Amino acid sequence: MKLRVLYAFMLLAVLEISAQAPEKMSYQAIIRSSDNSLVLDAPVNLKIIVRQGSVNGTSAYEETHAATTNGNGLVSLEIGDGNRISGNFRDIPWSNGPFFIETQVDPDGGNNYSIIGVSQLLSVPYALYAKYAENVVEATASASVEKDVAVISVESSRNITISDVGNTLECTKTATLTLISAFSDMEIGETVNLEAHNGASLTIKATSGVSLNYNDGGTASFESASGNVRFGLLRKSGTNAYIISGQ
């Protein structure tokens, strides 16, 4: 299968830790081809990079995985349990965030990886943080870096606001969300997960002076079919610039 562009949408990143198993995080990604069709039942190679500080920050950990998409285009893997390239997952300093998960894919099963998504890890598992703190002098055992990710219902048009940042917008009725100029409440690198449900159409519109996918005042639309969901990811890439995938 010839694939030109692929992208992934992070669905889940949760801790799995026990006395018998090493620390790791479960990770799922939806793989789509350049025409937005799902890549079904196909072998793919993935590279996972944990970046510290920003989307282009220092690599704290890298590993690769050989995986196969299922009948829904979904791959499942465990970060921390792949073929390690650099770093040590157990030594990641979770207290010195933020951290971002960069996903790269080679659809031909080789090492010709392309970046398909970067998502901020908004909820660092407490047990991982505590495990790291055990090795830090005078670490505070009660420190917690958990942050809940909310699902916000969208049923009418409005501006994107600070409450949307880092959360999932669930559009169940056709609506337009507007990116205003000088939206300083959203930091560069922060993201918003987008979902259009069951026939709803979700449009993201940038006002004049705001770039969306490198187009001033640009728009992007997600058209869902009845009984289906369309996924997307919005990321702030500059002071008045955003990129969006999935449409």
Side-chain angles (χ1 to χ4, degrees):
M1 180 184 295
K2 228 23 180 173
L3 302 176
R4 298 189 298 274
V5 180
L6 301 96
Y7 55 88
F9 178 75
M10 181 184 289
L11 297 178
L12 181 65
V14 296
L15 175 69
E16 291 185 2
I17 184 169
S18 69
Q20 293 78 31
E23 299 89 342
K24 54 192 175 183
M25 290 187 295
S26 296
Y27 177 86
Q28 293 180 313
I30 293 173
I31 308 298
R32 294 179 181 269
S33 63
S34 59
D35 62 0
N36 202 45
S37 61
L38 294 169
V39 179
L40 307 177
D41 300 313
V44 294
N45 275 6
L46 296 96
K47 178 187 287 186
I48 302 296
I49 302 175
V50 180
R51 294 195 178 276
Q52 183 178 4
S54 71
V55 293
N56 298 313
T58 302
S59 171
Y61 179 75
E62 295 185 31
E63 67 179 20
T64 60
H65 291 262
T68 301
T69 60
N70 66 13
N72 296 313
L74 187 72
V75 292
S76 300
L77 54 89
E78 292 179 323
I79 300 175
D81 199 33
N83 298 311
R84 186 172 64 89
I85 298 174
S86 64
N88 194 318
F89 190 76
R90 71 182 63 180
D91 293 334
I92 296 175
W94 298 111
S95 61
N96 297 328
F99 287 89
F100 298 79
I101 302 296
E102 177 178 309
T103 307
Q104 301 183 13
V105 167
D106 182 349
D108 297 319
N111 298 315
N112 186 25
Y113 296 102
S114 298
I115 296 176
I116 58 172
V118 182
S119 298
Q120 184 174 359
L121 187 58
L122 295 173
S123 181
V124 177
Y126 174 76
L128 281 181
Y129 176 87
K131 185 70 174 178
Y132 170 76
E134 290 176 3
N135 300 317
V136 178
V137 177
E138 297 179 356
T140 306
S142 62
S144 174
V145 291
E146 286 284 355
K147 177 180 178 180
D148 293 332
V149 178
V151 177
I152 300 172
S153 178
V154 176
E155 297 184 347
S156 60
S157 299
R158 60 175 176 81
N159 292 339
I160 291 180
T161 67
I162 186 174
S163 63
D164 300 324
V165 178
N167 293 316
T168 296
L169 300 184
E170 180 187 64
C171 179
T172 55
K173 295 183 180 180
T174 296
T176 297
L177 299 177
T178 301
L179 291 164
I180 62 173
S181 180
F183 181 36
S184 58
D185 289 329
M186 187 173 183
E187 300 290 338
I188 294 174
E190 289 188 318
T191 60
V192 178
N193 294 323
L194 305 169
E195 298 178 0
H197 287 247
N198 196 30
S201 174
L202 175 61
T203 299
I204 308 299
K205 176 178 174 57
T207 59
S208 178
V210 178
S211 170
L212 181 60
N213 283 357
Y214 309 103
N215 295 311
D216 183 67
T219 61
S221 296
F222 298 83
E223 303 280 348
S224 67
S226 178
N228 286 278
V229 181
R230 288 289 302 276
F231 298 101
L233 180 71
L234 175 71
R235 177 168 66 85
K236 188 169 186 177
S237 57
T239 301
N240 277 311
Y242 300 81
I243 57 175
I244 195 167
S245 62
Q247 77 280 3

